[in-house]
Amino acid sequence: MATSPDNGMVHLSSPYPVSETLKRLDSVLQSRGLTVFARIDHSGEAEKVGMKMHPTELIIFGSPKGGTPVMVASPTLAIDLPLKALVWQDAGGKVWLSYNSAEYLKQRHNIPDDLVKNIAVIGPLLQGVVT
């Protein structure tokens, strides 16, 4: 796991192809009772307009029960919630699962310490996808 201190992103190396990483992500989200609000297939959309892009898909997910109290306390967090996971393949064929760290979101939106736990689940949740 590598976190870049300047942008708050965590990049997890996936040993699986993009399609399998996405299936594993779906399975983990479903098993935790989290809602998938949207899927954005960036590479699929690029292909529709005649452009090529390495496989890249964004999954937007969460739980209103967990996210709402945090947004009530820190309203600007609504720009970063629901949580997001980006599954992508780099130019060398390596697959990654990337997300914004809870610590970054805490600092960015001044989230109270007692509510960070509502979004901090993202790290262990996504780590489970790639192990």
Side-chain angles (χ1 to χ4, degrees), residues 34-104:
L34 296 169
T35 301
V36 173
F37 296 107
R39 299 177 76 95
I40 301 169
D41 182 354
H42 290 293
S43 50
E45 293 301 316
E47 188 176 329
K48 288 178 185 177
V49 296
M51 300 178 79
K52 294 218 180 270
M53 181 179 185
H54 293 291
T56 305
E57 192 162 330
L58 179 69
I59 309 300
I60 301 171
F61 66 94
S63 164
K65 185 176 181 181
T68 302
V70 190
M71 289 185 287
V72 168
S74 299
T76 61
L77 181 61
I79 200 161
D80 286 315
L81 287 186
L83 295 169
K84 297 163 193 70
L86 181 67
V87 179
W88 58 286
Q89 181 179 310
D90 67 21
K94 182 77 188 115
V95 176
W96 299 93
L97 177 57
S98 301
Y99 63 95
N100 288 319
S101 74
E103 183 59 34
Y104 165 76

Side-chain angles (χ1 to χ4, degrees), residues 9-31:
M9 290 191 70
V10 177
H11 305 287
L12 303 174
S13 173
S14 178
Y16 309 103
V18 168
S19 60
E20 181 64 21
T21 302
L22 287 165
K23 284 179 193 171
R24 292 174 63 87
L25 177 57
D26 285 338
S27 178
V28 167
L29 296 176
Q30 184 177 14
S31 74

